[in-house]
Amino acid sequence: MFTGIVEELGTVVAVGPLDDGARLTVSGPLVTSDVRHGDSIAVNGVCLTVVRSGDGEFTVDVVAETLRRSALRSLAEGDRVNLERAMALGDRLGGHIVQGHVDGTAVLRGERDGLTRFELPEELSRYLVEKGSITVDGVSLTVVDAGRREFTVALIPTTAELTTLGRRAPGDEVNIEVDVLAKHLERLAGPHLAARGRGAQALPGDNGGVREAR
């Protein structure tokens, strides 16, 4: 689990192919200061497992599914990336609950009225609400406006300076993780909403069974 509070801007040192994915080596002196084999580090919001570390660098393997769903597929040597170590029990939750399981990507469309605008797939936009939380390239942000296929956020100067978001240009692709609580609520409520839509709802009966209400 992560919080969406970026600890360090790292640099991609090497990108190599694997049989079913890619291997990344990233320079990050802070996040590697106490890293061990098997630890989790979020790279641009994607939770990855450290397979090797040393001299201020760490190496991770990225499977094909992760490359397909995320913008990590376009990383190249020299690119800057947002880094965050997994949170420890008892740490302050400075952002929001972030799993590091990217749901898809969005595209930066530019600035409008002091807000940064992103376009995202419609199937993800339904999880966004005004003043709700969203993770963009591993950065916990508050949604200002939520539309059918776009959303806006306000980037404070510190966020722009200390993360990759201040280096992004219109047309750039970013990783998106929506609020996991919204996805769980949709899953749990789905059958009940579907039943209500059919004009029926299961209710406790007097005899301990169920009866149909219309």
Side-chain angles (χ1 to χ4, degrees), residues 58-59 73 80 91 115 122 148 152 163 172 195 206:
F58 67 95
T59 298
R73 59 181 174 269
R80 305 303 300 275
D91 281 355
L115 301 175
E122 190 171 348
R148 187 169 64 87
T152 61
T163 74
D172 283 354
D206 293 335

PDB file of all heavy atoms in Angstrom, residues 58-59 73 80 91 115 122 148 152 163 172 195 206:
ATOM      1  N   PHE A  58      17.965   0.419  -8.045  1.00  0.00           N
ATOM      2  CA  PHE A  58      17.205  -0.811  -7.852  1.00  0.00           C
ATOM      3  C   PHE A  58      16.683  -1.295  -9.198  1.00  0.00           C
ATOM      4  O   PHE A  58      16.485  -0.509 -10.138  1.00  0.00           O
ATOM      5  CB  PHE A  58      16.055  -0.613  -6.857  1.00  0.00           C
ATOM      6  CG  PHE A  58      14.961   0.310  -7.328  1.00  0.00           C
ATOM      7  CD1 PHE A  58      13.818  -0.184  -7.951  1.00  0.00           C
ATOM      8  CD2 PHE A  58      15.065   1.685  -7.133  1.00  0.00           C
ATOM      9  CE1 PHE A  58      12.812   0.665  -8.372  1.00  0.00           C
ATOM     10  CE2 PHE A  58      14.057   2.541  -7.553  1.00  0.00           C
ATOM     11  CZ  PHE A  58      12.923   2.033  -8.175  1.00  0.00           C
ATOM     12  N   THR A  59      16.461  -2.598  -9.285  1.00  0.00           N
ATOM     13  CA  THR A  59      15.985  -3.215 -10.516  1.00  0.00           C
ATOM     14  C   THR A  59      14.662  -3.919 -10.250  1.00  0.00           C
ATOM     15  O   THR A  59      14.495  -4.558  -9.207  1.00  0.00           O
ATOM     16  CB  THR A  59      17.017  -4.227 -11.054  1.00  0.00           C
ATOM     17  OG1 THR A  59      18.233  -3.525 -11.361  1.00  0.00           O
ATOM     18  CG2 THR A  59      16.519  -4.918 -12.308  1.00  0.00           C
ATOM     19  N   ARG A  73       5.339   1.300 -20.436  1.00  0.00           N
ATOM     20  CA  ARG A  73       5.792   0.720 -21.702  1.00  0.00           C
ATOM     21  C   ARG A  73       6.591   1.711 -22.537  1.00  0.00           C
ATOM     22  O   ARG A  73       7.362   1.308 -23.417  1.00  0.00           O
ATOM     23  CB  ARG A  73       4.595   0.222 -22.508  1.00  0.00           C
ATOM     24  CG  ARG A  73       3.567   1.291 -22.834  1.00  0.00           C
ATOM     25  CD  ARG A  73       2.381   0.731 -23.618  1.00  0.00           C
ATOM     26  NE  ARG A  73       1.336   1.737 -23.799  1.00  0.00           N
ATOM     27  CZ  ARG A  73       0.337   1.912 -22.969  1.00  0.00           C
ATOM     28  NH1 ARG A  73       0.221   1.135 -21.902  1.00  0.00           N
ATOM     29  NH2 ARG A  73      -0.568   2.842 -23.187  1.00  0.00           N
ATOM     30  N   ARG A  80      12.686  10.642 -16.093  1.00  0.00           N
ATOM     31  CA  ARG A  80      12.466  10.833 -14.667  1.00  0.00           C
ATOM     32  C   ARG A  80      11.176  10.130 -14.269  1.00  0.00           C
ATOM     33  O   ARG A  80      10.199  10.126 -15.032  1.00  0.00           O
ATOM     34  CB  ARG A  80      12.374  12.319 -14.301  1.00  0.00           C
ATOM     35  CG  ARG A  80      13.555  13.160 -14.743  1.00  0.00           C
ATOM     36  CD  ARG A  80      14.900  12.644 -14.204  1.00  0.00           C
ATOM     37  NE  ARG A  80      14.970  12.627 -12.766  1.00  0.00           N
ATOM     38  CZ  ARG A  80      15.310  13.680 -12.009  1.00  0.00           C
ATOM     39  NH1 ARG A  80      15.575  14.850 -12.583  1.00  0.00           N
ATOM     40  NH2 ARG A  80      15.388  13.563 -10.698  1.00  0.00           N
ATOM     41  N   ASP A  91       2.448   4.677   9.798  1.00  0.00           N
ATOM     42  CA  ASP A  91       2.820   5.899   9.105  1.00  0.00           C
ATOM     43  C   ASP A  91       1.604   6.810   8.935  1.00  0.00           C
ATOM     44  O   ASP A  91       0.462   6.348   8.909  1.00  0.00           O
ATOM     45  CB  ASP A  91       3.378   5.580   7.715  1.00  0.00           C
ATOM     46  CG  ASP A  91       4.818   5.103   7.749  1.00  0.00           C
ATOM     47  OD1 ASP A  91       5.407   5.108   8.849  1.00  0.00           O
ATOM     48  OD2 ASP A  91       5.339   4.731   6.686  1.00  0.00           O
ATOM     49  N   LEU A 115      -6.185  25.262 -13.922  1.00  0.00           N
ATOM     50  CA  LEU A 115      -6.336  23.841 -13.613  1.00  0.00           C
ATOM     51  C   LEU A 115      -5.699  23.001 -14.699  1.00  0.00           C
ATOM     52  O   LEU A 115      -5.650  23.392 -15.871  1.00  0.00           O
ATOM     53  CB  LEU A 115      -7.819  23.475 -13.484  1.00  0.00           C
ATOM     54  CG  LEU A 115      -8.613  24.232 -12.421  1.00  0.00           C
ATOM     55  CD1 LEU A 115     -10.089  23.849 -12.499  1.00  0.00           C
ATOM     56  CD2 LEU A 115      -8.055  23.961 -11.033  1.00  0.00           C
ATOM     57  N   GLU A 122     -13.875   6.598 -20.709  1.00  0.00           N
ATOM     58  CA  GLU A 122     -15.168   6.795 -20.061  1.00  0.00           C
ATOM     59  C   GLU A 122     -15.426   5.756 -18.979  1.00  0.00           C
ATOM     60  O   GLU A 122     -16.076   6.039 -17.977  1.00  0.00           O
ATOM     61  CB  GLU A 122     -16.279   6.760 -21.110  1.00  0.00           C
ATOM     62  CG  GLU A 122     -17.636   7.184 -20.582  1.00  0.00           C
ATOM     63  CD  GLU A 122     -18.657   7.344 -21.679  1.00  0.00           C
ATOM     64  OE1 GLU A 122     -18.262   7.355 -22.865  1.00  0.00           O
ATOM     65  OE2 GLU A 122     -19.849   7.466 -21.351  1.00  0.00           O
ATOM     66  N   ARG A 148     -17.482  13.495 -18.243  1.00  0.00           N
ATOM     67  CA  ARG A 148     -17.737  12.167 -18.787  1.00  0.00           C
ATOM     68  C   ARG A 148     -16.464  11.510 -19.282  1.00  0.00           C
ATOM     69  O   ARG A 148     -16.293  10.309 -19.159  1.00  0.00           O
ATOM     70  CB  ARG A 148     -18.754  12.265 -19.932  1.00  0.00           C
ATOM     71  CG  ARG A 148     -19.220  10.912 -20.473  1.00  0.00           C
ATOM     72  CD  ARG A 148     -20.402  11.074 -21.412  1.00  0.00           C
ATOM     73  NE  ARG A 148     -20.029  11.839 -22.599  1.00  0.00           N
ATOM     74  CZ  ARG A 148     -19.506  11.277 -23.704  1.00  0.00           C
ATOM     75  NH1 ARG A 148     -19.306   9.975 -23.760  1.00  0.00           N
ATOM     76  NH2 ARG A 148     -19.201  12.025 -24.740  1.00  0.00           N
ATOM     77  N   THR A 152     -10.187  17.535 -14.014  1.00  0.00           N
ATOM     78  CA  THR A 152      -9.176  18.552 -13.763  1.00  0.00           C
ATOM     79  C   THR A 152      -8.685  18.447 -12.329  1.00  0.00           C
ATOM     80  O   THR A 152      -9.405  17.987 -11.436  1.00  0.00           O
ATOM     81  CB  THR A 152      -9.723  19.980 -14.000  1.00  0.00           C
ATOM     82  OG1 THR A 152     -10.820  20.210 -13.106  1.00  0.00           O
ATOM     83  CG2 THR A 152     -10.180  20.165 -15.427  1.00  0.00           C
ATOM     84  N   THR A 163       7.670  16.458  -8.602  1.00  0.00           N
ATOM     85  CA  THR A 163       7.185  15.261  -9.301  1.00  0.00           C
ATOM     86  C   THR A 163       7.318  15.447 -10.808  1.00  0.00           C
ATOM     87  O   THR A 163       7.611  16.548 -11.302  1.00  0.00           O
ATOM     88  CB  THR A 163       5.716  14.951  -8.962  1.00  0.00           C
ATOM     89  OG1 THR A 163       4.868  15.883  -9.637  1.00  0.00           O
ATOM     90  CG2 THR A 163       5.462  15.023  -7.467  1.00  0.00           C
ATOM     91  N   ASP A 172       1.121  13.989 -23.376  1.00  0.00           N
ATOM     92  CA  ASP A 172       1.811  12.950 -22.608  1.00  0.00           C
ATOM     93  C   ASP A 172       0.801  12.015 -21.947  1.00  0.00           C
ATOM     94  O   ASP A 172      -0.271  12.443 -21.498  1.00  0.00           O
ATOM     95  CB  ASP A 172       2.702  13.572 -21.523  1.00  0.00           C
ATOM     96  CG  ASP A 172       4.000  14.130 -22.092  1.00  0.00           C
ATOM     97  OD1 ASP A 172       4.250  13.930 -23.293  1.00  0.00           O
ATOM     98  OD2 ASP A 172       4.743  14.764 -21.329  1.00  0.00           O
ATOM     99  N   ALA A 195     -31.145  -5.695  -9.350  1.00  0.00           N
ATOM    100  CA  ALA A 195     -32.418  -6.250  -8.911  1.00  0.00           C
ATOM    101  C   ALA A 195     -33.470  -5.164  -8.801  1.00  0.00           C
ATOM    102  O   ALA A 195     -34.625  -5.346  -9.193  1.00  0.00           O
ATOM    103  CB  ALA A 195     -32.251  -6.962  -7.567  1.00  0.00           C
ATOM    104  N   ASP A 206     -41.358 -12.882   6.814  1.00  0.00           N
ATOM    105  CA  ASP A 206     -41.756 -13.112   8.193  1.00  0.00           C
ATOM    106  C   ASP A 206     -41.324 -14.493   8.685  1.00  0.00           C
ATOM    107  O   ASP A 206     -41.125 -14.708   9.873  1.00  0.00           O
ATOM    108  CB  ASP A 206     -43.273 -12.989   8.318  1.00  0.00           C
ATOM    109  CG  ASP A 206     -43.752 -11.556   8.064  1.00  0.00           C
ATOM    110  OD1 ASP A 206     -42.924 -10.650   8.265  1.00  0.00           O
ATOM    111  OD2 ASP A 206     -44.916 -11.394   7.699  1.00  0.00           O
TER     112      ASP A 206
END
